[in-house]
Amino acid sequence: MTGPHDDDPTLVRNQPALTTSDGTIWVVVGAITAIVVGLVMWLMGLLVPAVGWTGLVLVLVLFVAMLVVRFAVRHVRHRLATLAALEGAMVLVGLVVVLVVLVGQARAVG
C-alpha cells in the first residue's frame, strides 16, 4: 500500500542513508563512534571499573555486530535499518554508562 508521501525525500524513512547506501558509511560512522565512545568508556572504567569496562565491551560487540550485518544481510533496507539501530545502541550504551558513573560518583560525594 502506498500513500501520498511515499516519495517525499524529507521523511526519515526515505533518506538515502536508509534506502540506497550499501552500508559502508554506517560502518565508517560506527568506527568513529566506537572510538569516541570507547575512549569515554575506558575513562569511566578508571572511575568505576565494572561499569566502564562492561560499557567498553558492549560498544566493541556492537561494532563487530555492525561489521557482520554489513556483509551478511542482503536485503538493503533491513541492513541499513539494523546498522542505524546498532549505531544508536552504541551511543545509548555510552550515555547510560556515563549517567550510571555520574550518579554513583554524586552519591559517593554527597
Side-chain angles (χ1 to χ4, degrees):
M1 181 172 200
T2 61
H5 302 291
D6 285 343
D7 61 348
D8 183 355
T10 62
L11 293 177
V12 171
R13 69 175 182 260
N14 292 335
Q15 297 300 313
L18 292 174
T19 57
T20 59
S21 171
D22 65 359
T24 302
I25 189 65
W26 284 108
V27 173
V28 170
V29 171
I32 294 167
T33 302
I35 290 167
V36 171
V37 175
L39 179 60
V40 172
M41 296 303 94
W42 177 73
L43 293 171
M44 294 296 106
L46 298 176
L47 294 172
V48 183
V51 177
W53 301 133
T54 301
L56 180 60
V57 168
L58 285 173
V59 167
L60 294 175
V61 166
L62 289 166
F63 181 68
V64 169
M66 287 183 82
L67 292 173
V68 169
V69 166
R70 166 59 184 89
F71 295 106
V73 177
R74 296 203 186 275
H75 189 272
V76 174
R77 287 275 224 183
H78 293 155
R79 179 187 332 128
L80 297 175
T82 304
L83 288 170
L86 290 167
E87 167 72 18
M90 270 196 280
V91 173
L92 185 62
V93 165
L95 178 63
V96 168
V97 168
V98 168
L99 290 175
V100 167
V101 170
L102 181 65
V103 167
Q105 293 298 307
R107 286 187 178 171
V109 171

XYZ file of all heavy atoms in Angstrom:
811
model
N 0.842 -1.168 0.000
C 0.000 0.000 0.000
C 0.894 1.240 0.000
O 1.822 1.348 0.785
C -0.893 -0.040 1.236
C -1.828 1.114 1.344
S -2.956 0.805 2.707
C -4.219 1.904 2.251
N 0.612 2.144 -0.851
C 1.401 3.368 -0.931
C 0.540 4.558 -0.556
O -0.676 4.552 -0.730
C 1.973 3.580 -2.342
O 0.889 3.682 -3.246
C 2.885 2.438 -2.742
N 1.203 5.568 -0.034
C 0.499 6.776 0.364
C 1.030 7.970 -0.404
O 1.951 7.849 -1.216
N 0.464 9.145 -0.127
C 0.868 10.341 -0.862
C 2.275 10.815 -0.535
O 2.850 11.592 -1.286
C -0.177 11.375 -0.438
C -0.672 10.906 0.885
C -0.593 9.406 0.831
N 2.860 10.335 0.541
C 4.175 10.818 0.958
C 5.275 9.768 0.786
O 6.374 9.941 1.293
C 4.142 11.276 2.419
C 3.139 12.357 2.670
N 3.294 13.627 2.180
C 1.971 12.346 3.342
C 2.254 14.367 2.541
N 1.439 13.616 3.243
N 5.005 8.687 0.077
C 5.975 7.613 -0.065
C 7.247 8.045 -0.789
O 8.305 7.480 -0.577
C 5.370 6.407 -0.770
C 4.442 5.636 0.151
O 4.533 5.838 1.377
O 3.638 4.845 -0.354
N 7.146 9.052 -1.652
C 8.331 9.511 -2.366
C 8.873 10.829 -1.827
O 9.748 11.442 -2.427
C 8.039 9.632 -3.862
C 6.929 10.637 -4.153
O 6.242 11.073 -3.204
O 6.743 10.974 -5.335
N 8.379 11.257 -0.661
C 8.835 12.508 -0.043
C 10.240 12.315 0.518
O 10.440 11.570 1.476
C 7.867 12.914 1.071
C 8.218 14.245 1.713
O 9.271 14.822 1.371
O 7.439 14.707 2.560
N 11.263 12.977 -0.056
C 12.646 12.758 0.390
C 12.950 13.345 1.764
O 14.001 13.073 2.325
C 13.476 13.452 -0.694
C 12.572 14.489 -1.257
C 11.176 13.923 -1.155
N 12.018 14.125 2.319
C 12.276 14.702 3.645
C 11.872 13.771 4.781
O 12.209 14.029 5.926
C 11.535 16.049 3.805
O 10.118 15.821 3.708
C 11.990 17.040 2.752
N 11.165 12.707 4.467
C 10.797 11.745 5.507
C 12.016 10.927 5.896
O 12.823 10.553 5.051
C 9.695 10.811 5.003
C 8.339 11.456 4.733
C 7.366 10.427 4.165
C 7.772 12.067 5.998
N 12.145 10.642 7.168
C 13.302 9.895 7.660
C 13.429 8.560 6.945
O 14.518 8.165 6.538
C 13.218 9.691 9.194
C 14.280 8.738 9.680
C 13.333 11.020 9.906
N 12.340 7.868 6.760
C 12.411 6.540 6.136
C 12.828 6.590 4.673
O 13.148 5.564 4.085
C 11.088 5.815 6.292
C 9.967 6.416 5.474
C 8.708 5.566 5.593
N 7.660 6.110 4.766
C 6.661 6.862 5.203
N 6.583 7.159 6.479
N 5.746 7.318 4.377
N 12.818 7.772 4.057
C 13.192 7.914 2.652
C 14.578 8.521 2.455
O 14.947 8.856 1.338
C 12.159 8.764 1.905
C 10.825 8.058 1.793
O 10.754 6.846 1.837
N 9.766 8.823 1.661
N 15.349 8.673 3.512
C 16.684 9.247 3.395
C 17.611 8.259 2.685
O 17.517 7.047 2.901
C 17.255 9.587 4.769
C 16.450 10.639 5.510
C 16.388 11.947 4.755
O 17.391 12.450 4.284
N 15.196 12.489 4.619
N 18.537 8.762 1.856
C 19.452 7.865 1.140
C 20.237 6.927 2.054
O 20.504 5.789 1.688
C 20.387 8.827 0.404
C 19.590 10.072 0.243
C 18.709 10.149 1.459
N 20.588 7.391 3.253
C 21.347 6.537 4.173
C 20.538 5.333 4.631
O 21.097 4.365 5.129
C 21.808 7.338 5.381
N 19.206 5.392 4.455
C 18.357 4.263 4.839
C 17.697 3.578 3.648
O 16.903 2.662 3.821
C 17.268 4.732 5.810
C 17.750 5.178 7.180
C 16.605 5.750 7.984
C 18.415 4.035 7.922
N 18.023 4.028 2.427
C 17.356 3.435 1.269
C 18.318 2.959 0.180
O 18.074 1.941 -0.445
C 16.373 4.430 0.632
O 17.083 5.617 0.265
C 15.235 4.774 1.572
N 19.395 3.679 -0.083
C 20.223 3.337 -1.236
C 21.689 3.071 -0.902
O 22.426 2.618 -1.760
C 20.177 4.462 -2.284
O 20.654 5.665 -1.684
C 18.773 4.669 -2.799
N 22.112 3.348 0.303
C 23.508 3.141 0.682
C 23.825 1.649 0.730
O 22.942 0.823 0.953
C 23.753 3.776 2.059
O 25.012 3.427 2.556
N 25.098 1.313 0.540
C 25.490 -0.095 0.684
C 25.841 -0.428 2.130
O 26.063 -1.574 2.469
C 26.652 -0.449 -0.244
C 27.942 0.288 0.097
O 27.959 1.093 1.038
O 28.936 0.048 -0.610
N 25.887 0.572 2.985
C 26.151 0.358 4.402
C 27.551 0.728 4.835
O 27.829 0.801 6.030
N 28.432 0.991 3.890
C 29.812 1.320 4.250
C 29.885 2.586 5.086
O 30.660 2.654 6.045
C 30.671 1.460 2.976
O 30.607 0.235 2.253
C 32.111 1.774 3.316
N 29.078 3.578 4.758
C 29.103 4.826 5.523
C 28.700 4.579 6.970
O 29.248 5.183 7.888
C 28.221 5.917 4.863
C 28.435 7.264 5.563
C 26.755 5.538 4.889
C 29.820 7.830 5.410
N 27.755 3.666 7.191
C 27.362 3.334 8.560
C 28.517 2.680 9.319
O 28.711 2.939 10.501
C 26.145 2.414 8.572
C 24.874 3.132 8.271
C 24.143 3.052 7.127
C 24.176 4.043 9.128
N 23.041 3.861 7.216
C 23.028 4.479 8.435
C 24.411 4.527 10.407
C 22.122 5.375 8.980
C 23.502 5.421 10.951
C 22.377 5.841 10.244
N 29.289 1.852 8.641
C 30.435 1.201 9.285
C 31.502 2.240 9.622
O 32.102 2.199 10.698
C 31.002 0.073 8.401
C 32.284 -0.489 8.985
C 29.966 -1.034 8.239
N 31.736 3.196 8.724
C 32.718 4.259 8.987
C 32.271 5.109 10.174
O 33.051 5.365 11.099
C 32.936 5.127 7.723
C 33.757 6.360 8.046
C 33.588 4.314 6.624
N 31.014 5.527 10.152
C 30.490 6.319 11.271
C 30.501 5.482 12.552
O 30.825 5.981 13.634
C 29.071 6.845 10.957
C 28.424 7.472 12.171
C 29.132 7.842 9.807
N 30.179 4.201 12.435
C 30.215 3.314 13.597
C 31.616 3.171 14.163
O 31.800 3.117 15.380
N 32.624 3.118 13.293
C 34.014 3.024 13.761
C 34.407 4.291 14.516
O 35.030 4.218 15.592
C 34.959 2.797 12.585
N 34.027 5.440 13.978
C 34.331 6.709 14.663
C 33.608 6.756 16.002
O 34.198 7.121 17.031
C 33.953 7.900 13.766
C 34.857 7.933 12.535
C 34.024 9.212 14.538
C 34.393 8.869 11.442
N 32.338 6.369 16.007
C 31.572 6.342 17.254
C 32.188 5.372 18.253
O 32.299 5.680 19.439
C 30.110 5.960 16.975
O 29.551 6.901 16.057
C 29.282 5.932 18.248
N 32.584 4.198 17.776
C 33.186 3.199 18.666
C 34.470 3.729 19.286
O 34.733 3.495 20.475
C 33.452 1.904 17.908
N 35.253 4.464 18.515
C 36.499 5.028 19.059
C 36.192 6.076 20.115
O 36.744 6.046 21.219
C 37.367 5.611 17.918
C 37.920 4.486 17.051
C 38.492 6.478 18.480
C 38.525 4.956 15.735
N 35.291 7.000 19.801
C 34.975 8.088 20.735
C 34.301 7.542 21.995
O 34.722 7.835 23.119
C 34.096 9.158 20.057
C 33.590 10.174 21.064
C 34.864 9.843 18.935
N 33.254 6.738 21.805
C 32.536 6.188 22.961
C 33.428 5.206 23.714
O 33.417 5.170 24.950
C 31.205 5.532 22.524
C 30.508 4.849 23.692
C 30.278 6.571 21.902
N 34.229 4.435 22.989
C 35.153 3.506 23.644
C 36.156 4.227 24.521
O 36.474 3.767 25.625
N 36.656 5.357 24.062
C 37.577 6.157 24.877
C 36.886 6.651 26.145
O 37.455 6.588 27.242
C 38.115 7.335 24.069
C 39.071 8.274 24.804
C 40.315 7.525 25.278
C 39.468 9.437 23.907
N 35.660 7.102 26.001
C 34.900 7.544 27.175
C 34.665 6.368 28.120
O 34.789 6.510 29.353
C 33.571 8.204 26.760
C 32.693 8.496 27.966
C 33.837 9.483 25.973
N 34.362 5.190 27.574
C 34.144 4.013 28.427
C 35.427 3.632 29.156
O 35.394 3.245 30.324
C 33.658 2.808 27.603
C 32.311 2.984 26.936
S 30.954 3.366 28.050
C 30.926 5.139 27.988
N 36.550 3.757 28.484
C 37.840 3.475 29.122
C 38.059 4.443 30.291
O 38.471 4.021 31.375
C 38.962 3.590 28.098
C 40.318 3.393 28.675
C 40.876 2.227 29.100
C 41.291 4.414 28.917
N 42.137 2.444 29.584
C 42.419 3.783 29.480
C 41.309 5.781 28.705
C 43.551 4.494 29.849
C 42.447 6.492 29.063
C 43.551 5.842 29.629
N 37.755 5.717 30.069
C 37.893 6.699 31.156
C 36.922 6.401 32.297
O 37.277 6.546 33.468
C 37.674 8.108 30.616
C 38.749 8.608 29.649
C 38.321 9.916 29.003
C 40.089 8.743 30.343
N 35.705 5.985 31.970
C 34.735 5.626 33.010
C 35.215 4.380 33.758
O 34.984 4.240 34.951
C 33.352 5.351 32.408
C 32.678 6.558 31.794
S 32.294 7.875 32.969
C 33.542 9.066 32.549
N 35.925 3.497 33.055
C 36.483 2.307 33.681
C 37.532 2.629 34.721
O 37.749 1.854 35.655
N 38.176 3.778 34.589
C 39.143 4.200 35.597
C 38.445 4.637 36.883
O 39.006 4.518 37.973
C 40.008 5.350 35.058
C 40.864 5.014 33.827
C 41.588 6.260 33.348
C 41.838 3.895 34.129
N 37.201 5.127 36.750
C 36.433 5.559 37.921
C 35.653 4.411 38.543
O 35.679 4.216 39.758
C 35.469 6.686 37.538
C 36.107 8.000 37.109
C 35.044 8.945 36.570
C 36.843 8.635 38.278
N 34.926 3.693 37.728
C 34.117 2.560 38.189
C 34.381 1.401 37.226
O 33.711 1.262 36.204
C 32.607 2.913 38.211
C 31.796 1.755 38.757
C 32.358 4.181 39.010
N 35.393 0.590 37.541
C 35.841 -0.437 36.593
C 34.749 -1.358 36.056
O 34.670 -1.570 34.841
C 36.879 -1.224 37.390
C 37.404 -0.239 38.378
C 36.229 0.618 38.742
N 33.896 -1.877 36.906
C 32.886 -2.838 36.437
C 31.950 -2.213 35.403
O 31.616 -2.840 34.398
C 32.082 -3.373 37.615
N 31.560 -0.992 35.637
C 30.619 -0.316 34.727
C 31.330 0.117 33.447
O 30.847 -0.116 32.333
C 29.960 0.892 35.429
C 29.042 1.637 34.477
C 29.200 0.447 36.664
N 32.472 0.755 33.581
C 33.200 1.260 32.423
C 33.660 0.162 31.484
O 33.497 0.270 30.266
N 34.222 -0.896 32.030
C 34.718 -1.978 31.169
C 33.570 -2.724 30.517
O 33.675 -3.160 29.363
C 35.613 -2.935 31.950
C 36.817 -2.286 32.567
C 37.251 -2.449 33.848
C 37.755 -1.368 31.964
N 38.376 -1.685 34.066
C 38.705 -1.014 32.928
C 37.848 -0.799 30.701
C 39.746 -0.130 32.680
C 38.893 0.095 30.440
C 39.827 0.417 31.418
N 32.457 -2.873 31.247
C 31.275 -3.500 30.647
C 30.779 -2.665 29.469
O 30.451 -3.205 28.406
C 30.150 -3.656 31.691
O 30.638 -4.464 32.772
C 28.914 -4.286 31.087
N 30.740 -1.348 29.648
C 30.344 -0.458 28.559
C 31.276 -0.577 27.368
O 30.837 -0.613 26.215
N 32.582 -0.655 27.632
C 33.565 -0.780 26.557
C 33.354 -2.080 25.781
O 33.358 -2.083 24.544
C 34.984 -0.718 27.120
C 36.114 -0.825 26.103
C 36.039 0.297 25.080
C 37.456 -0.817 26.810
N 33.138 -3.162 26.489
C 32.901 -4.456 25.823
C 31.620 -4.391 24.989
O 31.588 -4.865 23.847
C 32.841 -5.607 26.860
C 32.307 -6.884 26.239
C 34.214 -5.830 27.472
N 30.574 -3.790 25.530
C 29.319 -3.674 24.779
C 29.502 -2.854 23.505
O 28.983 -3.218 22.439
C 28.231 -3.045 25.647
C 27.621 -3.944 26.709
C 26.687 -3.144 27.615
C 26.868 -5.088 26.062
N 30.248 -1.765 23.581
C 30.499 -0.937 22.403
C 31.264 -1.743 21.353
O 30.932 -1.696 20.162
C 31.254 0.353 22.785
C 31.791 1.067 21.559
C 30.337 1.280 23.573
N 32.256 -2.479 21.780
C 33.025 -3.299 20.830
C 32.166 -4.395 20.206
O 32.255 -4.649 18.998
C 34.251 -3.896 21.519
C 35.312 -2.881 21.959
C 36.422 -3.571 22.744
C 35.864 -2.126 20.771
N 31.317 -5.024 20.998
C 30.419 -6.059 20.481
C 29.449 -5.459 19.464
O 29.192 -6.046 18.402
C 29.661 -6.761 21.635
C 28.495 -7.584 21.123
C 30.616 -7.622 22.445
N 28.915 -4.281 19.769
C 28.001 -3.621 18.840
C 28.703 -3.269 17.531
O 28.124 -3.406 16.444
C 27.383 -2.384 19.480
C 26.361 -2.666 20.583
C 26.061 -1.394 21.377
C 25.090 -3.247 20.001
N 29.952 -2.829 17.604
C 30.676 -2.512 16.373
C 30.955 -3.776 15.553
O 30.797 -3.771 14.330
C 31.980 -1.763 16.658
C 32.708 -1.428 15.382
C 32.183 -0.505 14.497
C 33.889 -2.065 15.062
C 32.823 -0.214 13.299
C 34.540 -1.780 13.871
C 34.009 -0.850 12.983
N 31.340 -4.839 16.211
C 31.550 -6.108 15.492
C 30.231 -6.562 14.860
O 30.219 -7.039 13.713
C 32.135 -7.188 16.432
C 32.103 -8.560 15.787
C 33.557 -6.813 16.834
N 29.126 -6.377 15.571
C 27.816 -6.718 15.001
C 27.542 -5.883 13.754
O 26.968 -6.385 12.773
C 26.718 -6.511 16.035
N 27.953 -4.613 13.759
C 27.790 -3.773 12.570
C 28.559 -4.361 11.386
O 28.048 -4.382 10.263
C 28.273 -2.342 12.834
C 27.357 -1.529 13.705
S 27.932 0.165 13.908
C 27.317 0.890 12.376
N 29.776 -4.819 11.643
C 30.572 -5.415 10.568
C 29.905 -6.670 10.021
O 29.851 -6.878 8.807
C 31.981 -5.736 11.066
C 32.865 -4.540 11.404
C 34.162 -5.007 12.045
C 33.144 -3.706 10.164
N 29.390 -7.494 10.910
C 28.722 -8.725 10.486
C 27.484 -8.396 9.655
O 27.276 -8.957 8.576
C 28.357 -9.601 11.707
C 27.442 -10.749 11.314
C 29.617 -10.111 12.395
N 26.678 -7.452 10.155
C 25.450 -7.078 9.441
C 25.783 -6.494 8.073
O 25.131 -6.819 7.078
C 24.625 -6.071 10.280
C 23.537 -5.404 9.447
C 24.035 -6.765 11.488
N 26.803 -5.667 8.010
C 27.183 -5.019 6.746
C 27.448 -6.041 5.643
O 27.084 -5.845 4.493
C 28.414 -4.138 6.955
C 29.133 -3.660 5.707
C 28.230 -2.843 4.799
N 28.895 -2.483 3.571
C 28.913 -3.210 2.459
N 28.302 -4.368 2.420
N 29.529 -2.778 1.373
N 28.069 -7.147 6.002
C 28.445 -8.126 4.989
C 27.525 -9.347 4.925
O 27.569 -10.100 3.956
C 29.890 -8.567 5.206
C 30.857 -7.433 5.007
C 31.475 -6.833 6.088
C 31.109 -6.939 3.736
C 32.350 -5.768 5.914
C 31.977 -5.869 3.547
C 32.597 -5.290 4.630
N 26.689 -9.561 5.926
C 25.865 -10.772 5.958
C 24.411 -10.546 5.551
O 23.776 -11.459 5.030
C 25.903 -11.407 7.348
N 23.882 -9.360 5.781
C 22.471 -9.107 5.481
C 22.344 -8.610 4.047
O 22.932 -7.599 3.678
C 21.871 -8.082 6.484
C 20.435 -7.761 6.122
C 21.969 -8.607 7.905
N 21.582 -9.317 3.252
C 21.473 -8.989 1.821
C 20.395 -7.942 1.530
O 20.559 -7.112 0.654
C 21.186 -10.249 1.019
C 22.319 -11.238 1.093
C 22.278 -12.179 -0.093
N 23.266 -13.225 0.013
C 24.525 -13.079 -0.379
N 24.932 -11.946 -0.865
N 25.370 -14.085 -0.269
N 19.286 -7.985 2.237
C 18.185 -7.048 1.982
C 18.622 -5.642 2.416
O 18.932 -5.406 3.584
C 16.930 -7.487 2.738
C 15.714 -6.710 2.371
N 15.377 -5.543 3.004
C 14.777 -6.919 1.416
C 14.264 -5.067 2.474
N 13.882 -5.901 1.504
N 18.659 -4.715 1.468
C 19.241 -3.389 1.701
C 18.546 -2.646 2.830
O 19.206 -2.118 3.740
C 19.213 -2.545 0.400
C 19.684 -1.126 0.663
C 20.066 -3.197 -0.661
N 17.234 -2.578 2.810
C 16.508 -1.828 3.850
C 16.756 -2.424 5.241
O 16.963 -1.691 6.188
C 15.008 -1.821 3.559
C 14.615 -0.939 2.432
C 14.430 0.463 2.917
N 13.222 1.033 2.346
C 12.857 2.252 2.554
N 13.566 3.035 3.319
N 11.773 2.730 2.018
N 16.726 -3.743 5.332
C 16.967 -4.388 6.626
C 18.397 -4.126 7.097
O 18.626 -3.846 8.282
C 16.718 -5.893 6.551
C 15.287 -6.237 6.330
N 14.897 -7.410 5.743
C 14.138 -5.572 6.608
C 13.581 -7.457 5.671
N 13.100 -6.340 6.184
N 19.359 -4.230 6.178
C 20.761 -3.985 6.520
C 20.945 -2.565 7.052
O 21.544 -2.346 8.099
C 21.659 -4.211 5.310
C 23.127 -3.936 5.612
C 24.041 -3.994 4.395
N 23.589 -4.857 3.340
C 23.479 -4.475 2.071
N 23.806 -3.257 1.695
N 23.070 -5.317 1.158
N 20.413 -1.599 6.333
C 20.619 -0.198 6.709
C 19.891 0.148 7.998
O 20.421 0.866 8.854
C 20.191 0.713 5.566
C 21.014 0.539 4.280
C 20.438 1.388 3.171
C 22.473 0.872 4.525
N 18.684 -0.358 8.178
C 17.946 -0.104 9.416
C 18.657 -0.734 10.608
O 18.749 -0.128 11.684
C 16.524 -0.638 9.297
N 19.184 -1.939 10.424
C 19.911 -2.604 11.512
C 21.195 -1.863 11.841
O 21.534 -1.688 13.024
C 20.209 -4.068 11.136
O 18.978 -4.722 10.821
C 20.890 -4.796 12.274
N 21.919 -1.410 10.821
C 23.145 -0.643 11.064
C 22.841 0.656 11.812
O 23.568 1.037 12.731
C 23.862 -0.350 9.743
C 24.529 -1.548 9.082
C 24.984 -1.191 7.669
C 25.694 -2.058 9.907
N 21.751 1.317 11.432
C 21.364 2.550 12.124
C 21.014 2.258 13.582
O 21.394 3.012 14.490
C 20.187 3.204 11.408
N 20.300 1.167 13.820
C 19.924 0.801 15.192
C 21.166 0.462 16.026
O 21.264 0.856 17.204
C 18.963 -0.382 15.171
N 22.122 -0.240 15.442
C 23.351 -0.577 16.162
C 24.166 0.678 16.484
O 24.744 0.790 17.562
C 24.183 -1.582 15.367
C 23.589 -2.995 15.274
C 24.315 -3.810 14.224
C 23.639 -3.683 16.633
N 24.197 1.614 15.543
C 24.882 2.893 15.779
C 24.238 3.624 16.959
O 24.916 4.106 17.861
C 24.806 3.754 14.514
C 25.182 5.189 14.703
C 26.667 5.400 14.918
O 27.456 4.498 14.602
O 27.019 6.473 15.426
N 22.917 3.681 16.953
C 22.200 4.310 18.055
C 22.428 3.594 19.371
O 22.553 4.222 20.423
N 22.502 2.275 19.319
C 22.733 1.492 20.534
C 24.105 1.793 21.131
O 24.253 1.856 22.365
C 22.597 0.000 20.241
N 25.111 2.006 20.280
C 26.448 2.354 20.789
C 26.403 3.665 21.561
O 26.968 3.777 22.649
C 27.453 2.478 19.643
C 28.153 1.210 19.313
S 29.619 1.478 18.317
C 28.909 1.674 16.722
N 25.731 4.639 20.989
C 25.621 5.940 21.648
C 24.817 5.802 22.944
O 25.179 6.383 23.979
C 24.984 6.970 20.696
C 24.705 8.276 21.417
C 25.883 7.192 19.490
N 23.750 5.008 22.914
C 22.922 4.803 24.102
C 23.713 4.124 25.217
O 23.608 4.517 26.387
C 21.681 3.981 23.746
C 20.664 3.788 24.863
C 20.102 5.131 25.315
C 19.553 2.874 24.390
N 24.516 3.127 24.883
C 25.369 2.464 25.884
C 26.292 3.487 26.531
O 26.430 3.528 27.756
C 26.185 1.311 25.252
C 27.319 0.870 26.170
C 25.280 0.132 24.946
N 26.907 4.328 25.713
C 27.793 5.358 26.255
C 27.068 6.295 27.194
O 27.564 6.615 28.285
N 25.882 6.734 26.803
C 25.100 7.644 27.644
C 24.722 6.997 28.964
O 24.869 7.603 30.031
C 23.846 8.094 26.890
C 22.898 9.006 27.651
C 23.587 10.320 28.008
C 21.649 9.259 26.837
N 24.250 5.757 28.904
C 23.837 5.055 30.129
C 25.022 4.870 31.073
O 24.917 5.124 32.277
C 23.173 3.707 29.790
C 23.002 2.845 31.034
C 21.833 3.940 29.108
N 26.163 4.460 30.539
C 27.344 4.253 31.388
C 27.772 5.562 32.036
O 28.050 5.610 33.235
C 28.500 3.617 30.590
C 29.801 3.667 31.373
C 28.159 2.184 30.224
N 27.815 6.633 31.268
C 28.208 7.928 31.843
C 27.233 8.343 32.933
O 27.648 8.808 34.005
C 28.316 9.002 30.738
C 28.421 10.389 31.342
C 29.515 8.720 29.844
N 25.937 8.164 32.713
C 24.956 8.531 33.730
C 25.078 7.661 34.981
O 24.982 8.171 36.097
C 23.543 8.450 33.151
C 23.193 9.516 32.112
C 21.809 9.258 31.523
C 23.278 10.908 32.702
N 25.302 6.378 34.802
C 25.467 5.483 35.956
C 26.690 5.887 36.777
O 26.631 5.979 38.008
C 25.560 4.002 35.511
C 26.039 3.105 36.639
C 24.219 3.541 34.983
N 27.801 6.151 36.103
C 29.010 6.554 36.813
C 28.803 7.918 37.477
O 29.200 8.109 38.635
C 30.233 6.588 35.856
C 31.431 7.234 36.514
C 30.567 5.169 35.397
N 28.155 8.838 36.787
C 27.892 10.163 37.353
C 27.047 10.083 38.614
O 27.371 10.697 39.631
C 27.220 11.044 36.306
C 26.895 12.480 36.716
C 28.181 13.251 36.979
C 26.072 13.157 35.634
N 25.978 9.312 38.550
C 25.090 9.156 39.713
C 25.854 8.478 40.852
O 25.753 8.887 42.014
C 23.811 8.369 39.347
C 23.046 7.943 40.583
C 22.936 9.205 38.426
N 26.626 7.453 40.534
C 27.408 6.767 41.571
C 28.428 7.677 42.224
O 28.592 7.661 43.458
N 29.092 8.503 41.427
C 30.075 9.429 41.985
C 29.395 10.520 42.809
O 29.906 10.936 43.850
C 30.900 10.063 40.865
C 31.789 9.086 40.132
C 32.826 8.455 41.043
O 33.560 9.138 41.737
N 32.879 7.131 41.049
N 28.231 10.974 42.370
C 27.495 12.004 43.126
C 27.044 11.463 44.479
O 27.104 12.164 45.492
C 26.304 12.486 42.314
N 26.610 10.217 44.509
C 26.190 9.612 45.784
C 27.382 9.401 46.708
O 27.268 9.511 47.914
C 25.497 8.293 45.530
C 24.114 8.462 44.981
C 23.382 7.161 44.884
N 22.031 7.392 44.389
C 21.223 6.439 44.045
N 21.604 5.166 44.149
N 20.020 6.719 43.605
N 28.542 9.077 46.131
C 29.734 8.850 46.945
C 30.200 10.153 47.599
O 30.703 10.136 48.722
C 30.855 8.258 46.090
N 30.036 11.259 46.891
C 30.457 12.556 47.423
C 29.456 13.075 48.430
O 29.831 13.648 49.450
C 30.653 13.588 46.265
C 30.878 14.976 46.791
C 31.792 13.141 45.368
N 28.180 12.923 48.115
C 27.139 13.531 48.956
C 26.584 12.553 49.883
O 26.361 12.456 50.968
